[in-house]
Amino acid sequence: MIAAKDDTIKEEILEQAQKLFQQFGVKKTTMEDIARAMGKGKSTLYYYFCSKEDIFDAVILKEMEEVFSSVSHAVEKAGSAEEKLKAFTLTKIRSLHRKANLYKIVSGEMQDNMRCIKHLHTEYDLRETRLLKEILEFGVGNGEFTRLITKELDILPSVIVSSLRGLERDVFVEGKYTRLVTRMESIVGILIRGLQNTTHLNSRSIANTNTRKQII
Amino acid sequence: MIAAKDDTIKEEILEQAQKLFQQFGVKKTTMEDIARAMGKGKSTLYYYFCSKEDIFDAVILKEMEEVFSSVSHAVEKAGSAEEKLKAFTLTKIRSLHRKANLYKIVSGEMQDNMRCIKHLHTEYDLRETRLLKEILEFGVGNGEFTRLITKELDILPSVIVSSLRGLERDVFVEGKYTRLVTRMESIVGILIRGLQNTTHLNSRSIANTNTRKQII
DNA sequence: TTTGGACCGAAAAACGAATTTGGTCGAAAA
DNA sequence: TTTTCGACCAAATTCGTTTTTCGGTCCAAA
């Protein structure tokens, strides 16, 4: 019960801090701003949190919690694994997009840092996308890949490029390069299975497994 | 012939600039540094390039060219579309990794910017990875997804999370949120096809297409 | 056609003073 | 005991000013 009241005030603090962070950015909001926003003294904040970074972390954690719980909820609601997977990705994107709108000052500052190489980056992405498209076209013409992707051939290459960039990021922010090769092989394996021509796939997989009776 | 000599010197300039950028970072290397490095006067640089940003762009472009050409070369050498796709991803990762080592001062500075939320980020990734693993396990137990991924169930979820982050990034750096939903659906569609239980897949795809004769 | 030295203006570094801000402490209020 | 607050401190930040640096230009010389 005692802890309950504590938590109420803690949440109040986080709420106010969140609002201020969104409005003015993290750096520009002072502890006094937060304290003033809830009509309390500054040092009161330190009764509930031990540092500003603590508050910041808690706010971010709360935001993440909201994203995750909405994703989690959407996944639970979905019936099939396929729908779960779709729910997972789409819900997260939507949720993130909403957050990005709230923190548009912050995301604006983030863009400023990247601005210098953006034009080169997008140009490179274009080349890469073209190459990837050629590979996919080659695969389709080859009979290796399914013709089902033909209509997606304008969108799929750039999507794959974006996805791979997520993996490439791991090379830089973490030292997990050694694992990355196997990680890469793992996802590319699934990707290829997804692209493969079903008939082509079957002729192999039927030979390796005994599921023929289910097929016919 | 005249242009040839021009290009030689231009390349020499880029080479020296590249070295200095790697060693000291872009901001810390001055035009005089570059000029001194090749025993010429500063204004000579402006005979060949019209600004420092021009040189910077050219160096980056050169680096990208190296990455792309090695990727492109590896793709060409590969025979099948599958091998091409694998060559594409792995070669790029290796190439980027090498570059990251050269520019470790630069990549070090980049990490400093992200450091503040890294610990929260990795924690969130963990939760997301777990949820994704549950989905995959559900799909396997369900019969929706192939049992082939059972042994990759420790690595695949985190890989998918990393990949999706690449797509999420597009929400922030570019305004292409509206497209993103269809983009997302596109890649998830392929992914699901790749995960699907072949027998399950066949019973549907055979019904929709008339490729039965090829199967048998 | 190239190169280098002198030069310019804007941007950035240097720097010390003034102010702000994160954080602490003990007393007082509840 | 639990919670709040004002006073206080040290470190960081800001500010205003001066100085230096650096990107870029110009012109003469090679």
Side-chain angles (χ1 to χ4, degrees):
Chain A
M1 188 198 291
I2 299 161
K5 191 178 178 189
D6 256 42
D7 287 353
T8 307
I9 296 184
K10 275 183 111 171
E11 277 174 33
E12 165 91 16
I13 293 175
L14 291 183
E15 208 174 299
Q16 298 298 332
Q18 189 181 31
K19 244 187 259 178
L20 291 169
F21 286 162
Q22 286 170 8
Q23 213 167 126
F24 307 108
V26 178
K27 207 176 178 184
K28 287 288 175 190
T29 65
T30 74
M31 292 296 270
E32 272 188 17
D33 288 337
I34 301 173
R36 201 182 317 126
M38 26 186 284
K40 295 286 178 69
K42 180 181 63 167
S43 49
T44 301
L45 297 179
Y46 288 93
Y47 182 75
Y48 298 96
F49 293 93
C50 65
S51 73
K52 185 185 181 182
E53 197 183 336
D54 232 47
I55 295 181
F56 171 70
D57 282 7
V59 169
I60 297 293
L61 226 58
K62 194 181 156 197
E63 301 281 14
M64 286 179 167
E65 185 58 42
E66 282 176 30
V67 173
F68 186 81
S69 81
S70 71
V71 169
S72 185
H73 185 253
V75 166
E76 252 180 89
K77 255 196 344 191
S80 68
E82 176 171 346
E83 279 165 4
K84 279 177 194 292
L85 210 53
K86 280 179 180 169
F88 182 99
T89 55
L90 292 180
T91 309
K92 187 175 178 196
I93 285 291
R94 288 205 192 93
S95 198
L96 275 183
H97 184 241
R98 214 175 331 156
K99 295 289 181 206
N101 275 353
L102 290 177
Y103 287 85
K104 58 182 155 189
I105 293 110
V106 179
S107 59
E109 286 171 359
M110 286 176 72
Q111 284 185 38
D112 289 349
N113 295 337
M114 316 286 216
R115 193 181 28 187
C116 60
I117 58 163
K118 205 178 120 184
H119 60 291
L120 298 174
H121 207 298
T122 53
E123 196 184 337
Y124 182 83
D125 279 6
L126 226 67
R127 296 180 65 186
E128 221 171 53
T129 301
R130 273 197 294 266
L131 178 58
L132 204 45
K133 190 178 178 184
E134 282 172 24
I135 295 177
L136 294 184
E137 280 169 347
F138 174 78
V140 171
N142 206 4
E144 274 187 85
F145 293 162
T146 175
R147 294 203 171 276
L148 295 176
I149 62 171
T150 311
K151 34 185 187 299
E152 301 202 81
L153 229 46
D154 286 323
I155 199 173
L156 199 53
S158 81
V159 174
I160 294 178
V161 166
S162 289
S163 305
L164 293 179
R165 191 174 28 232
L167 284 163
E168 288 157 9
R169 203 199 70 126
D170 293 352
V171 182
F172 296 91
V173 306
E174 327 218 19
K176 48 181 172 182
Y177 166 70
T178 50
R179 292 183 197 173
L180 195 65
V181 175
T182 60
R183 282 159 61 83
M184 216 68 177
E185 280 166 354
S186 174
I187 187 88
V188 173
I190 301 297
L191 211 59
I192 286 172
R193 249 184 74 99
L195 296 170
Q196 260 164 351
N197 189 337
T198 317
T199 66
H200 182 258
L201 175 70
N202 291 342
S203 61
R204 248 206 289 178
S205 69
I206 289 173
N208 293 341
T209 64
N210 34 3
T211 55
R212 183 179 290 148
K213 57 181 178 297
Q214 293 181 30
I215 294 177
I216 308 204
Chain B
M1 190 198 290
I2 298 163
K5 192 178 177 187
D6 256 41
D7 287 353
T8 307
I9 295 184
K10 274 182 113 172
E11 276 174 33
E12 166 90 18
I13 292 175
L14 291 183
E15 207 174 300
Q16 297 298 331
Q18 189 179 32
K19 245 187 258 178
L20 292 169
F21 286 162
Q22 287 171 9
Q23 213 168 125
F24 307 109
V26 178
K27 207 176 178 184
K28 287 289 175 189
T29 65
T30 73
M31 292 295 271
E32 275 188 15
D33 288 337
I34 301 173
R36 202 183 316 125
M38 27 186 285
K40 296 285 178 69
K42 181 179 61 165
S43 54
T44 302
L45 298 180
Y46 288 93
Y47 182 76
Y48 297 97
F49 293 93
C50 65
S51 73
K52 185 185 180 182
E53 196 182 336
D54 231 47
I55 295 182
F56 171 69
D57 281 7
V59 169
I60 297 294
L61 227 57
K62 196 180 155 197
E63 301 280 13
M64 286 178 167
E65 185 59 43
E66 281 176 32
V67 173
F68 186 81
S69 81
S70 72
V71 169
S72 186
H73 185 253
V75 166
E76 253 179 88
K77 254 195 348 189
S80 68
E82 176 172 345
E83 279 167 3
K84 279 177 193 294
L85 210 53
K86 281 179 180 169
F88 182 100
T89 57
L90 292 180
T91 308
K92 186 173 180 198
I93 285 291
R94 289 205 192 92
S95 197
L96 275 184
H97 184 240
R98 215 176 330 155
K99 295 290 181 206
N101 275 353
L102 290 177
Y103 286 86
K104 58 182 155 187
I105 293 110
V106 178
S107 59
E109 286 170 0
M110 288 175 70
Q111 284 185 38
D112 289 349
N113 296 336
M114 316 285 217
R115 192 181 31 187
C116 59
I117 57 162
K118 205 178 120 187
H119 60 291
L120 299 174
H121 207 298
T122 54
E123 196 183 337
Y124 183 81
D125 280 6
L126 225 66
R127 297 180 66 185
E128 221 170 51
T129 302
R130 272 197 294 267
L131 177 58
L132 204 46
K133 190 179 178 184
E134 281 173 24
I135 296 177
L136 294 184
E137 280 168 346
F138 174 78
V140 170
N142 206 5
E144 275 186 85
F145 293 161
T146 175
R147 294 204 171 276
L148 294 176
I149 63 170
T150 311
K151 36 185 188 298
E152 301 202 82
L153 229 47
D154 286 323
I155 200 174
L156 199 54
S158 81
V159 174
I160 294 179
V161 167
S162 289
S163 304
L164 293 180
R165 191 174 29 231
L167 284 164
E168 288 157 9
R169 203 198 70 126
D170 293 352
V171 182
F172 295 92
V173 306
E174 328 218 19
K176 49 181 171 182
Y177 166 70
T178 49
R179 292 184 198 173
L180 195 67
V181 175
T182 60
R183 283 160 60 84
M184 216 68 177
E185 280 166 354
S186 175
I187 187 88
V188 172
I190 301 297
L191 211 59
I192 286 171
R193 250 182 74 99
L195 295 170
Q196 260 163 352
N197 189 338
T198 317
T199 66
H200 182 259
L201 175 70
N202 289 343
S203 61
R204 245 205 291 176
S205 69
I206 288 173
N208 292 341
T209 63
N210 35 0
T211 54
R212 183 179 289 148
K213 56 180 177 298
Q214 292 181 27
I215 295 177
I216 305 200

